[in-house]
Amino acid sequence: MSEKKRFALFPRQYGLFPYIFLVYLLMPGYYVSQESGLKQILGYVLLFLFLFTYRQLYMSSEAKNMFSFWLFMQIGIILILSLFYNVNNVFLGFFSAHFIGWYQRKKIFFYMLMFLAGTIILPFLIHMEAHDFERSIFYFTPFIIIMLVAPFGIRSMISRMELERKLDEANEQIKELVKREERMRIARDLHDTLGHTLSLLALKSQLVGKLAVKDPERAHKEAQEMERTARSALSQVRELVSDMRTITVAEEIIEVQALLQTAGIAFHLNGDSDLSDIPYLTQNILSLCLKEAVTNVVKHSGAKNCHVSICSLEGEVVIAIEDDGEGISDPTRLGNGLKGMEERLELIDGSLQLTSKHGTRLEITVPIIIKEREAEDVS
């Protein structure tokens, strides 16, 4: 059975901000309490409606018609409380000024701003004789100016946040398009470089099978030609891999450092991350395993520190990722990630070892064959 959705007075993404503003309802509540009879009851009803519109405005959005309805009602309540209760209730306009800034459409933004300006100014004009006008001007003018200018600042801030969100989305789309284009390029290169070669090998293998009995000498020559063709194909593959965009361990170290910093985990690097002398394929696989291991630290460990040690020895590279978290109480949490790392490391005869005592330590060992490096350099 699914868990029931818990009630929230305001959307959780706004944090404590909406609750802090509720403090400013104490002043109009005090003014209403000074009244008596039906007027006092109506005053409390209006304050309750004001609080309701305040909540509904957070629950709505600027693009929906109900947002304008609740904002219009809220400003109307401010006008009534300022005219018939106390002129100081115009300070409730700070609530509405905040929401007016949410409008991105200029026309409705200025309409609502003029409506708020009229709501604030009208009570002063009506109650001018009952108050010391000159004294009231000096007292209220700075607050009125701030109240009417604030929506512009809020609108600008929201526009910038929206622009940043769209830029992030555009960047993600660009990344996906780059990946897709890279896959298509690899597919085209494989087809162009290996398609003809593999077709030729298939035909020659059939020919060798037919000549093995009838003409062994010619079959031997064809087999030698197949070997040369296969070596040429291998060279083409190596050239293709060399041209591919690879992720080096040094580049991945920068990425995981940023990831850990975002998660509030201190990053410590021991050893040299420059492994440029090892093959590209090995660097790629080590980088992917390093990223997976650090992602597990962020998601599951609850650690405060993460140590990455890189040791390049004669014939092998050892990378250890160690954290001071709670350890692994449930190994299935990392099952898929560990399996993926093992499958990648099998391609380069690598291995990994996981230990969990005071925190977790993952050690990755990859053999580096000198002939492999020389062959790659030659190709």
Side-chain angles (χ1 to χ4, degrees):
M1 185 178 293
S2 60
E3 187 178 340
K4 290 185 178 179
K5 192 174 181 181
R6 291 168 55 184
F7 173 80
L9 186 59
F10 299 104
R12 293 178 181 174
Q13 66 261 31
Y14 296 108
L16 294 176
F17 182 78
Y19 297 94
I20 295 173
F21 255 58
L22 294 178
V23 175
Y24 295 101
L25 288 176
L26 295 176
M27 184 178 67
Y30 171 76
Y31 295 138
V32 170
S33 69
Q34 300 301 304
E35 305 294 339
S36 59
L38 182 61
K39 187 176 182 181
Q40 185 184 67
I41 295 173
L42 290 175
Y44 285 128
V45 171
L46 288 171
L47 286 178
F48 175 79
L49 287 175
F50 183 90
L51 177 61
F52 184 73
T53 61
Y54 179 59
R55 179 182 183 271
Q56 292 303 110
L57 285 167
Y58 274 109
M59 296 294 183
S60 306
S61 75
E62 177 266 330
K64 297 179 181 178
N65 292 330
M66 289 305 295
F67 183 88
S68 296
F69 170 78
W70 294 120
L71 185 56
F72 189 85
M73 178 183 289
Q74 186 179 91
I75 297 175
I77 293 172
I78 296 171
L79 181 61
I80 295 172
L81 290 173
S82 303
L83 286 175
F84 301 104
Y85 287 84
N86 191 296
V87 71
N88 289 293
N89 285 324
V90 295
F91 289 121
L92 289 173
F94 279 106
F95 286 84
S96 302
H98 169 73
F99 291 109
I100 289 174
W102 289 20
Y103 283 110
Q104 296 303 301
R105 292 173 291 177
K106 288 186 177 180
K107 187 175 181 181
I108 193 168
F109 170 80
F110 283 108
Y111 280 162
M112 281 298 184
L113 188 60
M114 286 189 291
F115 182 38
L116 178 63
T119 299
I120 295 170
I121 295 172
L122 183 61
F124 289 115
L125 298 178
I126 293 177
H127 296 287
M128 187 182 300
E129 296 180 357
H131 295 81
D132 185 344
F133 182 73
E134 185 175 348
R135 184 178 175 184
S136 297
I137 285 294
F138 282 108
Y139 174 70
F140 285 103
T141 298
F143 296 103
I144 293 175
I145 293 174
I146 294 172
M147 201 181 304
L148 297 179
V149 170
F152 290 94
I154 295 170
R155 185 171 184 266
S156 176
M157 180 183 68
I158 292 176
S159 297
R160 186 173 67 251
M161 292 171 61
E162 181 66 16
L163 178 61
E164 290 176 354
R165 185 186 65 80
K166 290 181 179 179
L167 284 173
D168 290 339
E169 290 180 355
N171 287 332
E172 289 298 321
Q173 291 178 357
I174 290 171
K175 288 180 181 178
E176 289 300 319
L177 289 173
V178 168
K179 290 179 182 177
R180 190 179 302 173
E181 179 60 29
E182 186 71 7
R183 294 190 191 102
M184 292 177 65
R185 184 187 71 80
I186 294 170
R188 287 195 302 268
D189 290 346
L190 286 173
H191 180 271
D192 295 341
T193 58
L194 295 181
H196 175 72
T197 303
L198 293 175
S199 297
L200 179 62
L201 286 173
L203 291 173
K204 282 187 174 292
S205 65
Q206 293 175 2
L207 180 60
V208 168
K210 294 176 180 179
L211 294 174
V213 177
K214 296 181 180 179
D215 192 347
E217 186 177 349
R218 186 183 173 189
H220 179 68
K221 290 181 180 179
E222 291 292 340
Q224 289 179 329
E225 181 65 25
M226 286 179 63
E227 182 182 357
R228 286 192 293 270
T229 303
R231 289 185 180 277
S232 175
L234 179 60
S235 177
Q236 290 173 348
V237 170
R238 283 176 174 158
E239 288 176 2
L240 179 61
V241 171
S242 298
D243 291 337
M244 287 173 59
R245 181 179 179 273
T246 59
I247 304 172
T248 66
V249 173
E251 291 172 339
E252 191 60 45
I253 286 291
I254 297 173
E255 295 291 330
V256 299
Q257 183 177 5
L259 176 62
L260 289 167
Q261 184 177 1
T262 303
I265 301 174
F267 174 74
H268 308 277
L269 175 64
N270 301 314
D272 188 4
S273 62
D274 183 12
L275 300 177
S276 56
D277 59 334
I278 70 175
Y280 295 116
L281 178 62
T282 304
Q283 287 234 50
N284 238 342
I285 292 177
L286 283 174
S287 300
L288 291 171
C289 292
L290 177 60
K291 183 175 184 178
E292 178 68 29
V294 172
T295 301
N296 285 334
V297 171
V298 172
K299 286 184 176 179
H300 306 297
S301 70
K304 295 183 178 179
N305 295 277
C306 179
H307 297 263
V308 175
S309 302
I310 302 175
C311 183
S312 182
L313 304 173
E314 184 68 28
E316 68 178 13
V317 171
V318 179
I319 298 180
I321 302 94
E322 188 171 2
D323 64 71
D324 59 355
E326 59 190 21
I328 303 177
S329 57
D330 182 9
T332 59
R333 292 187 305 173
L334 307 180
N336 293 331
L338 287 176
K339 186 177 180 181
M341 281 189 274
E342 288 175 342
E343 290 174 351
R344 294 188 187 103
L345 290 170
E346 283 178 1
L347 297 173
I348 52 176
D349 296 325
S351 62
L352 61 83
Q353 182 177 3
L354 179 68
T355 56
S356 181
K357 192 173 182 182
H358 301 293
T360 303
R361 177 183 172 86
L362 181 68
E363 188 174 289
I364 300 169
T365 304
V366 175
I368 305 299
I369 303 173
I370 304 299
K371 289 183 179 179
E372 182 185 355
R373 286 210 301 266
E374 292 175 352
E376 188 174 279
D377 292 337
V378 170
S379 66

